[in-house]
């Protein structure tokens, strides 16, 4: 209660100080090579960077220095998370929305959008279609509308968890929904969500006002404080993000860092569980997106991923099917820890077996429609285990417990064996023959890298999976 009072006592305190951030960016022009090396060394020691240091990285001009940053980003990811990538699918429940975000196909004034909200039976159908492919984790997405209120969130989350078919089930439901009050966050927390995710979109106030002209989302601070309220309601895995392409990418990276620092300061060191950095994509009847002068080129996109990786070494990073396959591969090499697969974002698209995208039912267009098996196979070829693991969350390794493990580079002690267990389940139950072959070879290689005691325990559990048991964890 004391903490609730502390954060809310001064809700208008705006921790995004633009002048300071712009000053830091312009002060750090042309950083010396030695300075960059010192910053990299700090990150490799798994310490969060200070804003001045992040600003220096963002101002690197020299291509060789960027190559050093990329190599260090890959190393940090391996040190904290090991060779694994967590995989999930998005599930869109409703495209009705009160807001008018100029970049979004769901915006209220977009008459071309075909509006629809899934019934609970349809949510169950979508879930069945997803679990049949092997998915175990979802991000469930909603527009902001009275018809998708907290009761609907609560019902849909519970429906997803209750929908099972043999061993197939969703074991972790994360949500991306409009900011709620503390009381409403308590309710979705009680429904058993994993992570609550909401993106500030842009940290630049004037741009924020321009691109969010009306509706509840026009309130910058209500959104900025959403994750404080979620944490105060007991949801200790929260996720931030910015939509890159609305304003200068370097400024947005600074904004994300300040947001992470603020959460760490307010909540005993527990910063965001993940950071997202979607790039602006085309959407039906939304010409604004093509005209934005701030669209991020591939070269800068890779740079921003690497700088974020070094700035918050212990935080998860998500790259999605908005990006084409080659960029997703590059993003994973640069330190992304989570990605989606077989994403369909039309409302009801999984159960209807939609293969093609239908712009008028989507928020934006995707660039990678590959199925789960293909993504898993590619990750295995890259030496990355696909993790469907939800053990950490169900064993209480969330919030400060997770953060402390991550900051000490200890996450992989639990997470590699658990990733292997869920990967083995997937290979037996859902993978194509080529994926199974390459996947099992990867498991064989990875288990040899584990300490003997962990490997022995893992081998016993793997043997039980071979005899039909499921959902085992260390
Ligand atoms: N209605 C919720 C909200 O606004 O917070 C959920 C929206 S949606 C799944 C999640 C994110 O998609 C948004 O926060 C925004 O960053 C992103 N998005 C919206 N329009 C987009 C576009 N045209 N291209 C890429 N991403 C977009
Ligand atoms: Fe609505 Fe979210 Fe789209 Fe804005 S981004 S119009 S709030 S669905």
């Amino acid at each position: 209660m004391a903490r609730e009072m502390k954060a809310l006592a001064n809700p208008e305190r705006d921790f995004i100080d633009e002048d300071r951030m712009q000053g830091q960016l312009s002060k750090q022009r042309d950083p010396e090579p030695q300075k960059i090396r010192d910053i990299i060394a700090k990150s490799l020691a798994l310490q969060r960077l200070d804003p001045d240091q992040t600003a220096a990285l963002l101002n690197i001009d020299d291509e060789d220095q960027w190559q050093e940053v990329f190599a260090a980003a890959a190393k940090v990811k391996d040190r904290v998370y090991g060779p694994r990538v967590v995989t999930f699918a998005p599930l869109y429940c409703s495209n009705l929305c009160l807001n008018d975000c100029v970049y979004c196909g769901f915006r209220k004034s977009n008459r071309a959008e075909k509006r629809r909200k899934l019934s609970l039976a349809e949510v169950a159908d979508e879930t069945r279609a997803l679990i049949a492919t092997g998915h175990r984790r979802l991000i469930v997405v909603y527009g902001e509308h009275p018809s998708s209120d907290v009761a609907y969130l609560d019902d849909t989350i519970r429906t997803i968890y209750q929908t099972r078919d043999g061993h197939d089930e969703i074991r972790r439901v994360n949500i991306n929904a409009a900011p709620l009050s503390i009381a409403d966050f308590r309710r979705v927390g009680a429904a058993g969500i994993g992570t609550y995710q909401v993106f500030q979109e842009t940290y630049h106030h004037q741009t924020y006002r321009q691109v969010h002209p009306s509706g509840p989302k026009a309130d910058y601070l209500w959104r900025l404080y959403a994750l404080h309220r979620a944490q105060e309601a007991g949801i200790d895995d929260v996720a931030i993000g910015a939509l890159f392409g609305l304003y200068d990418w370097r400024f947005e990276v600074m904004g994300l860092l300040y947001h992470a620092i603020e959460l760490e300061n307010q909540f005993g060191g527990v910063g965001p569980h993940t950071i997202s950095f979607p790039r602006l994509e085309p959407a039906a009847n939304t010409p604004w997106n093509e005209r934005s002068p701030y669209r991020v080129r591939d070269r800068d996109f890779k740079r921003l991923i690497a700088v974020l990786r070094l700035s918050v070494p212990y935080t998860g990073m998500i790259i999605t099917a908005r990006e084409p396959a080659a960029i997703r591969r590059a993003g994973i090499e640069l330190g992304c820890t989570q990605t989606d697969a077989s994403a369909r974002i039309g409302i009801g698209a999984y159960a209807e077996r939609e293969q093609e995208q239908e712009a008028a039912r989507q928020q934006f267009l995707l660039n990678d429609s590959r199925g789960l098996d293909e993504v898993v196979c590619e990750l295995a070829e890259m030496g990355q285990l696909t993790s469907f693991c939800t053990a950490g969350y169900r064993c209480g390794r969330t919030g400060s417990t997770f953060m402390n493990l991550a900051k000490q580079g200890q996450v992989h002690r639990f997470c590699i064996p658990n990733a292997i267990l869920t990967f083995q389940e997937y290979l037996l139950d859902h993978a194509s023959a080529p994926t199974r072959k390459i996947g099992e070879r990867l498991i064989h290689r990875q288990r040899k890298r584990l300490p003997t005691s962990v490997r022995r325990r893992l081998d016993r559990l793997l043997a039980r999976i071979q005899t039909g048991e499921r959902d085992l964890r260390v």
Side-chain angles (χ1 to χ4, degrees):
M1 188 61 173
R3 205 163 64 179
E4 188 161 317
M5 294 309 294
K6 183 176 149 210
L8 290 184
N10 194 7
E12 72 280 13
R13 183 180 62 83
D14 189 341
F15 53 87
I16 299 298
D17 182 341
E18 283 179 17
D19 291 343
R20 186 162 166 209
M21 284 154 64
Q22 302 281 21
Q24 284 162 333
L25 281 169
S26 51
K27 210 172 71 199
Q28 299 297 332
R29 292 265 147 82
D30 292 330
E32 292 292 319
Q34 190 51 48
K35 180 172 185 176
I36 296 300
R37 294 216 175 97
D38 292 346
I39 294 171
I40 287 176
K42 181 175 178 188
S43 181
L44 286 168
L46 308 188
Q47 287 177 44
R48 196 220 335 113
L49 299 184
D50 297 326
D52 274 332
Q53 296 167 325
T54 293
L57 295 181
L58 289 167
N59 276 310
I60 292 175
D61 222 4
D62 179 75
E63 189 46 42
D64 290 344
Q65 280 189 8
W66 275 115
Q67 293 306 323
E68 283 182 46
V69 167
F70 292 159
K75 232 186 243 172
V76 165
K77 191 262 176 178
D78 197 53
R79 222 167 256 186
V80 178
Y81 285 87
R84 77 193 163 97
V85 176
V86 169
T87 304
F88 62 94
L91 169 49
Y92 276 67
C93 282
S94 157
N95 61 355
L96 285 98
C97 196
L98 289 173
N99 294 308
D100 219 10
C101 314
V102 297
Y103 47 81
C104 178
F106 293 173
R107 71 187 183 285
K108 187 180 174 183
S109 61
N110 187 5
R111 304 270 170 254
E113 186 74 14
K114 293 183 192 154
R115 308 282 169 178
R116 184 167 164 213
K117 180 186 106 168
L118 295 181
S119 68
L120 294 183
E122 288 170 322
V123 170
D125 289 344
E126 292 286 277
T127 308
R128 265 190 291 275
L130 281 163
I131 59 180
T133 66
H135 275 296
R136 295 289 174 264
R137 303 167 65 108
L138 298 184
I139 178 86
V140 186
V141 185
Y142 310 82
E144 181 163 14
H145 195 266
S147 68
S148 44
D149 59 3
V150 67
Y152 181 69
L153 268 56
D154 191 355
D155 288 344
T156 48
I157 295 160
R158 289 177 195 278
T159 300
I160 292 165
Y161 279 128
Q162 283 158 11
T163 304
R164 297 202 179 95
D165 186 4
H167 290 305
D168 290 340
E169 61 184 350
I170 293 298
R171 298 179 190 155
R172 177 168 176 136
V173 176
N174 299 331
I175 64 166
N176 182 313
L180 301 173
S181 65
I182 293 177
D184 286 351
F185 274 127
R186 286 212 175 95
R187 191 158 163 195
V188 293
I193 64 162
T195 305
Y196 170 67
Q197 177 188 67
V198 74
F199 305 156
Q200 188 64 20
E201 319 295 13
T202 174
Y203 289 92
H204 187 252
H205 296 77
Q206 191 193 339
T207 306
Y208 190 94
R209 277 193 296 279
Q210 284 165 353
V211 300
H212 304 114
S214 63
K217 194 164 167 179
D219 188 339
Y220 181 103
L221 284 180
W222 177 248
R223 198 168 180 90
L224 193 63
Y225 273 83
L227 299 176
H228 292 65
R229 295 193 300 279
Q231 293 238 33
E232 283 156 15
I235 298 172
D236 59 3
D237 276 355
V238 296
I240 62 175
L243 179 55
F244 280 83
L246 302 181
Y247 187 62
D248 175 53
W249 64 272
R250 292 183 175 86
F251 181 90
E252 304 295 14
V253 170
M254 296 294 285
L256 288 166
L257 178 63
Y258 269 104
H259 201 162
I261 293 173
E262 160 73 15
L263 291 171
E264 284 186 3
N265 289 345
Q266 293 289 338
F267 297 99
V270 183
H273 189 65
T274 57
I275 299 185
S276 294
F277 31 86
R279 274 196 292 186
L280 195 60
E281 298 299 337
N285 195 26
T286 309
W288 192 93
N289 295 1
E290 275 78 51
R291 289 190 213 127
S292 171
Y294 293 109
R295 298 188 68 183
V296 179
R297 292 182 292 171
D298 289 351
R299 188 197 72 172
D300 294 335
F301 190 59
K302 289 180 201 160
R303 291 177 175 183
L304 78 84
I305 293 174
V307 173
L308 282 169
R309 175 70 295 150
L310 293 185
S311 299
V312 274
Y314 39 79
T315 300
M317 288 174 55
I318 303 180
I319 190 159
T320 68
R322 291 176 181 84
E323 299 299 335
I327 298 286
R328 290 225 278 182
R329 246 188 328 270
I332 284 162
E333 277 160 5
L334 290 172
C336 293
T337 58
Q338 297 198 18
T339 196
D340 55 356
S342 59
R344 299 278 176 276
I345 59 173
I347 312 290
Y350 293 112
E352 290 166 17
R353 305 252 181 276
E354 294 278 339
Q355 290 308 317
E356 295 300 315
Q357 300 196 64
E358 193 190 341
R361 286 204 299 168
Q362 297 187 187
Q363 191 181 24
F364 48 83
L365 290 169
L366 298 175
N367 280 303
D368 186 357
S369 57
R370 288 175 303 161
L372 180 57
D373 190 73
E374 218 179 315
V375 172
V376 171
C377 190
E378 180 183 79
L379 289 171
E381 279 163 356
M382 294 167 68
Q384 298 284 331
L385 297 157
T386 299
S387 175
F388 298 87
C389 179
T390 56
Y393 145 75
R394 290 180 296 158
C395 298
R397 284 195 294 274
T398 61
S400 57
T401 314
F402 176 84
M403 272 301 151
N404 289 335
L405 287 170
K407 286 178 182 176
Q408 293 158 26
Q410 297 290 323
V411 167
H412 54 280
R413 269 191 26 222
F414 301 97
C415 295
I416 296 294
N418 284 327
I420 290 176
L421 291 169
T422 58
F423 190 44
Q424 181 66 71
E425 277 189 18
Y426 174 81
L427 295 177
L428 287 174
D429 295 345
H430 298 283
S432 65
T435 303
R436 187 174 308 152
K437 197 166 161 200
I438 181 169
E440 286 184 344
R441 258 191 260 136
L442 178 61
I443 289 181
H444 188 65
R445 281 205 308 278
Q446 289 303 333
R447 51 175 282 294
K448 283 206 285 202
R449 290 177 60 187
L450 296 170
T452 312
S453 62
V454 178
R455 190 170 64 234
R456 287 213 181 108
R457 195 156 166 222
L458 174 70
D459 285 347
R460 283 196 292 276
L461 294 171
L462 284 171
R464 285 168 60 188
I465 288 178
Q466 293 290 347
T467 63
E469 281 188 70
R470 292 292 176 267
D471 201 12
L472 303 177
R473 50 186 179 255
V474 298

